[in-house]
Amino acid sequence: MVAKVLAYLILLAAISSTVTSDPDTLQDLCVAAPSSGVKVNGFACKEEANVTAADFFFDGLAKPGVVNSSVGSLVTAANVDKIPGLNTLGVSLSRIDYAPGGLNPPHTHPRATEVVFVLEGELDVGFITTANKLITKTIKKGDIYVFPKALVHYQKNNGDKAASVISAFNSQLPGTQSIAATLFTATPAVSDDVLTKAFQVGTKEIDKIKSKLAPKKS
C-alpha cells in the first residue's frame, strides 16, 4: 500500500514538472557534478563513464530521524544534493518527522508544488492563498494533501504520539524559506526599522525573537 502510494506521488510530481517546474531533460541522464565549477541552471553533468548506481541511490528516508529542534520537527531531504542522479529530472522527496505537538513552521517552496502522504499520526495542515485565505484540514495515516507552489504552508502534529510524512516535489531542488528564520536570521540582518514597522512591535520584541531563533552554540 505505502509503496504504491509513494510510486504514485513520484509519478505525479514528474508529470507536473513537465508543465510547471524544472525544465525538461535533453538526454538520458545528467548526474550532478557540483564540483565542476560550471554555472548553469542546475548542475553540470558528470562524465557518463564515471556514473555509478550510487548516483541514483539514497536510503536516508527509511527510518525516523531524531527530532531535537525547538519546534519539534525534522526534515530529511532526498533532493539532488543527496541524489546526484536527480539532476534535470524535476522530482525529489523528503521525509518529515514530528514529535508530539511538533510543528513544521510556516514556510514556502519557491520552486515546487508539494504533495504529502501521511505515514503515521495525525496532523493539522494548511496553506494561505495570495488573497490571505487559510485553507486547512486535519489529515491522518494514509491521507494525501497538496500545498500549491510557492504558497506559505505548515504542518502540526496534533497528537500525543510521533508522526511522519513523505513529501514529493516537482523539482530536483525545491528550496525552502521558513518565514520566521528568513526574516529574523538573515545575513546581513534585516533592519530593525523594517521589522518593527512590519510587525508593529518594538525593538525589544524583535531582539527577543532574534535571540530565540539564533543558532545554538555548540
Side-chain angles (χ1 to χ4, degrees):
M1 171 68 177
V2 172
K4 289 182 179 179
V5 173
L6 293 182
Y8 170 76
L9 290 177
I10 295 171
L11 178 62
L12 177 64
I15 292 173
S16 298
S17 70
T18 64
V19 294
T20 63
S21 193
D22 294 350
D24 288 342
T25 180
L26 300 177
Q27 60 274 320
D28 286 348
L29 51 88
C30 176
V31 173
S35 61
S36 72
V38 177
K39 300 295 184 182
V40 295
N41 188 22
F43 294 98
C45 303
K46 183 179 183 179
E47 288 289 342
E48 195 162 336
N50 298 328
V51 170
T52 69
D55 293 318
F56 301 88
F57 175 78
F58 181 65
D59 64 357
L61 305 189
K63 298 178 180 179
V66 178
V67 180
N68 57 11
S69 68
S70 60
V71 294
S73 67
L74 174 69
V75 179
T76 304
N79 55 37
V80 70
D81 288 337
K82 301 289 182 64
I83 310 172
L86 286 177
N87 195 39
T88 77
L89 299 185
V91 64
S92 61
L93 295 174
S94 287
R95 177 184 177 123
I96 312 173
D97 292 297
Y98 313 81
L103 172 72
N104 189 13
H107 62 282
T108 70
H109 301 294
R111 296 184 289 273
T113 294
E114 178 179 6
V115 182
V116 298
F117 171 70
V118 183
L119 295 174
E120 295 291 343
E122 186 173 281
L123 303 161
D124 292 329
V125 302
F127 63 87
I128 303 167
T129 71
T130 56
N132 218 31
K133 179 180 180 180
L134 172 63
I135 298 177
T136 184
K137 186 173 178 60
T138 298
I139 57 177
K140 59 185 184 301
K141 183 175 181 177
D143 287 347
I144 290 173
Y145 199 77
V146 177
F147 301 104
K149 180 179 179 180
L151 294 185
V152 175
H153 60 282
Y154 64 88
Q155 307 104 31
K156 185 180 187 301
N157 182 358
N158 62 18
D160 56 4
K161 296 181 180 179
S164 58
V165 304
I166 292 291
S167 296
F169 303 93
N170 61 335
S171 173
Q172 67 181 36
L173 196 62
T176 299
Q177 282 194 302
S178 178
I179 306 305
T182 296
L183 288 171
F184 292 97
T185 67
T187 304
V190 177
S191 168
D192 281 358
D193 290 342
V194 173
L195 296 175
T196 54
K197 181 163 285 190
F199 289 93
Q200 296 292 291
V201 296
T203 304
K204 289 184 178 180
E205 287 80 2
I206 296 298
D207 289 341
K208 184 176 181 180
I209 295 172
K210 286 182 176 179
S211 68
K212 293 286 186 180
L213 294 174
K216 294 180 180 179
K217 296 180 180 180
S218 56

